[in-house]
Amino acid sequence: MYKDKRGMLLYILPAFILMTVFVFFPIILNFVYSLYRWSAFSDGKVFIGLENYVKMFSDENILISLKNNTWYAIVSVICQCGLGLVLAAVFESTKMRKFQPFFRTLYFIPSVISITVIGLLWQFLYSPTMGVVNPFLKAIGLGSLARDWLGGASTAMGSVIFVSQWQNIGYIMLLFIIAIQKIPEDIFESARIDGVNPFTNFFYIIVPQVTDTVLVTVVTTIIGAFKVFGEVYVMTGGGPGHATEVLAAYLYKAGFRNDEMGYAAAIATLTFLILLVLTLVQMKINQGPKEPKAPKVKKVKEAA
C-alpha cells in the first residue's frame, strides 16, 4: 500500500482523465442536449427544458419499446440462462463429457459471428418466398404454422428474440460449464455412490453450487436485452409498424431519421438510467453478502 497519496493519485489520474473525457463528460453533455430542440442541420438550439421528457413519456412508441425490451429480457433469462445451465449440466455429465468439445464448439460458434451477418442470414431463412423455415414446417406436417414471420406484427418480435437466443446461448452455456467444473469432484462422487439420479444431482448439487454465476448471468442478460439494437435494426428496422421497436432502435430513428436530436438525447438518458440501475444491481450481487461484524468488546481497565 502506498504511503504517498500523491503518488497514488498520479497512477489513477490517466484513467480518470480518459473516463472523464470519454464517459462522464458525454453523459452530462447528452443530458444537456436533451433540454434543447435542435437538429443536425440547424444553426442553433432552442432551450425547451423538460419538454422532450414530457413528450417521451406520452409517446406510445416508447411504451411499445419498453414492453419489447422487457419481453426480450424475460425470454432471454429463461432461454439463455435457464437452458444454458441445463445444457452445461448435460455436457458435464459423465456420459456426455467425451462429446463436450464438439457440442461446446457447435453452440459457441454463433456467438462469434457478426450480428449483421446473423441478422441477414435469419432474414433469409424467415423469408416466405426463398427461406427454409416454412418449407421445413411443411415437410414435417406443420404447414399450418407457415407464415411471414418477420412481416406479421404478432410473430415478428418473437422471431427476432429467437435469433438472439440461438446466437447467445452457447456463450452462457460455457460460463456455466466453467462454474460446474469448479465444483469439487468429491461431491459428485459421493452423489454417485449414494445413487443420486440426474434430476436430484442437478437441483440439489449443481444449482446451489453455481448460484453466483446464475445471478451474474441473469443480470448481464437483462442488461444486454435493454441494449439490443443490431438484431432489430438489421432484420426488421423496428417494423412492421412499430411491432419490434426497442429503445436503441427508436433512439436511432429519432436522431438520424427524424433529425430530432434533442428527443433522441432524452431517449438515450432514459436508456442510460435503466442500464445504470441494472449495473448497480449487478455490482451489488458481485459483492456478495457482507460478513457479519464481530461484536465490539469494551475494554475494562484493570483495577489499580
Side-chain angles (χ1 to χ4, degrees):
M1 183 175 181
Y2 293 96
K3 295 181 179 180
D4 186 359
K5 292 184 178 180
R6 289 179 295 180
M8 294 174 61
L9 290 174
L10 287 176
Y11 279 101
I12 297 172
L13 188 60
F16 179 76
I17 292 174
L18 289 174
M19 290 290 291
T20 301
V21 173
F22 294 105
V23 179
F24 303 135
F25 180 70
I27 290 172
I28 296 171
L29 192 61
N30 177 81
F31 175 72
V32 173
Y33 283 161
S34 70
L35 303 178
Y36 290 83
R37 181 189 299 115
W38 61 287
S39 68
F41 303 101
S42 60
D43 295 332
K45 302 177 180 65
V46 179
F47 181 78
I48 57 174
L50 299 177
E51 187 177 315
N52 282 324
Y53 292 93
V54 174
K55 175 184 177 182
M56 182 174 62
F57 287 108
S58 60
D59 188 346
E60 183 181 356
N61 293 327
I62 290 292
L63 297 177
I64 293 174
S65 299
L66 285 171
K67 183 190 73 173
N68 286 337
N69 280 114
T70 303
W71 175 234
Y72 215 109
I74 293 171
V75 175
S76 296
V77 167
I78 295 172
C79 293
Q80 292 181 35
C81 300
L83 189 55
L85 177 56
V86 171
L87 289 173
V90 169
F91 295 140
E92 269 297 304
S93 63
T94 306
K95 294 181 180 179
M96 292 294 295
R97 194 167 293 176
K98 60 182 178 180
F99 302 110
Q100 187 191 118
F102 170 75
F103 286 105
R104 188 169 58 192
T105 304
L106 182 67
Y107 279 95
F108 186 70
I109 285 176
S111 301
V112 298
I113 301 176
S114 166
I115 188 58
T116 303
V117 174
I118 293 291
L120 292 175
L121 170 65
W122 278 93
Q123 192 179 46
F124 170 76
L125 294 177
Y126 280 134
S127 172
T129 55
M130 299 180 295
V132 299
V133 173
N134 285 343
F136 172 75
L137 291 174
K138 292 175 182 178
I140 61 175
L142 297 175
S144 59
L145 298 178
R147 63 199 65 204
D148 186 357
W149 295 97
L150 297 178
S154 61
T155 57
M157 194 67 220
S159 300
V160 174
I161 291 175
F162 173 81
V163 174
S164 282
Q165 312 318 306
W166 172 82
Q167 183 184 20
N168 297 314
I169 193 172
Y171 173 73
I172 301 296
M173 181 192 72
L174 278 182
L175 296 180
F176 282 124
I177 286 177
I178 294 170
I180 293 173
Q181 289 175 348
K182 292 181 180 179
I183 301 174
E185 188 62 29
D186 295 344
I187 298 177
F188 292 114
E189 186 64 30
S190 300
R192 281 193 290 269
I193 293 173
D194 292 339
V196 173
N197 62 62
F199 293 99
T200 304
N201 187 71
F202 177 77
F203 287 107
Y204 290 95
I205 297 178
I206 292 178
V207 173
Q209 293 289 330
V210 300
T211 302
D212 291 342
T213 305
V214 170
L215 293 174
V216 171
T217 54
V218 165
V219 177
T220 304
T221 301
I222 294 173
I223 291 174
F226 278 91
K227 290 168 58 180
V228 66
F229 170 75
E231 299 93 319
V232 173
Y233 183 74
V234 173
M235 295 178 67
T236 64
H242 294 281
T244 59
E245 206 72 82
V246 290
L247 285 173
Y250 192 54
L251 184 158
Y252 178 86
K253 285 182 181 180
F256 297 100
R257 289 190 183 180
N258 302 336
D259 201 18
E260 298 176 340
M261 291 297 182
Y263 188 48
I267 300 173
T269 300
L270 173 64
T271 306
F272 165 74
L273 291 175
I274 293 173
L275 295 177
L276 176 63
V277 171
L278 293 173
T279 302
L280 292 175
V281 171
Q282 183 184 24
M283 291 173 63
K284 182 67 175 178
I285 291 172
N286 288 342
Q287 289 177 357
K290 293 183 178 180
E291 294 183 1
K293 295 182 179 179
K296 294 182 179 179
V297 180
K298 294 182 178 180
K299 293 181 179 179
V300 180
K301 293 183 178 179
E302 294 182 358

